[in-house]
Amino acid sequence: NLTEKVDIYQMGNVFYSLLTLLLPFEGVVEGETTTIPDKNNDSNHDDVAVIQQMIRDGERPDLTLMNDDRSTTDGNGEGEEMVSRVLKEAIEMCWRQNPLDRPTASEIVEFLEKELDRIIDTVLEYS
């Protein structure tokens, strides 16, 4: 069923790409980079079907690819680590298996605004 909850899942994919600089599921099919389906290329279409089935089976892109090794010795490193953690949490909310358990777009914005305020306060405290 295509509902707004599909868009929320995709929002998680956008956050993932911003943090990893990778496409979700990049390279998982036959060891090659996944691409946007090309109507003239059946192999791309097959790759997309495989990824769709993986998602239905509860598999998600690898969140360990996100960089958690940032320095926390200064205010900037602390802020980057906190942003990474917050976006990871937002991604996990967006990628919940049951679409009914996913937040609305407004709830994601509210969550990010609240967390951003907290991050700014923390960074300013270290400055």
Side-chain angles (χ1 to χ4, degrees):
N1 242 358
L2 294 180
T3 69
E4 69 278 356
K5 298 300 184 165
V6 173
D7 293 333
I8 296 301
Y9 181 89
Q10 285 302 98
M11 185 183 295
N13 287 341
V14 170
F15 293 153
Y16 176 85
S17 292
L18 287 171
L19 287 172
T20 63
L21 302 178
L22 299 169
L23 294 173
F25 295 108
E26 185 169 322
V28 299
V29 180
E30 297 182 26
E32 295 187 19
T33 302
T34 56
T35 59
I36 295 172
D38 178 352
K39 293 177 193 173
N40 300 319
N41 184 340
D42 286 338
S43 98
N44 278 349
H45 203 78
D46 292 342
D47 291 352
V48 170
V50 168
I51 291 171
Q52 288 172 336
Q53 185 59 50
M54 290 170 65
I55 292 168
R56 280 191 293 275
D57 291 343
E59 294 186 48
R60 298 295 184 260
D62 187 0
L63 287 175
T64 63
L65 297 175
M66 298 168 77
N67 185 0
D68 284 332
D69 299 333
R70 293 182 174 97
S71 168
T72 58
T73 57
D74 62 16
N76 290 334
E78 182 72 21
E80 288 176 12
E81 183 177 297
M82 291 176 74
V83 168
S84 178
R85 182 195 53 76
V86 166
L87 285 177
K88 258 186 185 178
E89 190 172 337
I91 290 167
E92 289 169 346
M93 291 176 357
C94 292
W95 284 350
R96 289 177 180 151
Q97 185 65 18
N98 183 345
L100 297 176
D101 293 338
R102 295 176 193 155
T104 64
S106 296
E107 289 169 335
I108 290 289
V109 168
E110 184 179 313
F111 169 77
L112 292 174
E113 285 176 339
K114 182 181 82 171
E115 292 298 320
L116 180 59
D117 286 344
R118 198 169 62 75
I119 291 168
I120 289 170
D121 290 345
T122 301
V123 170
L124 290 175
E125 185 179 311
Y126 284 100
S127 297

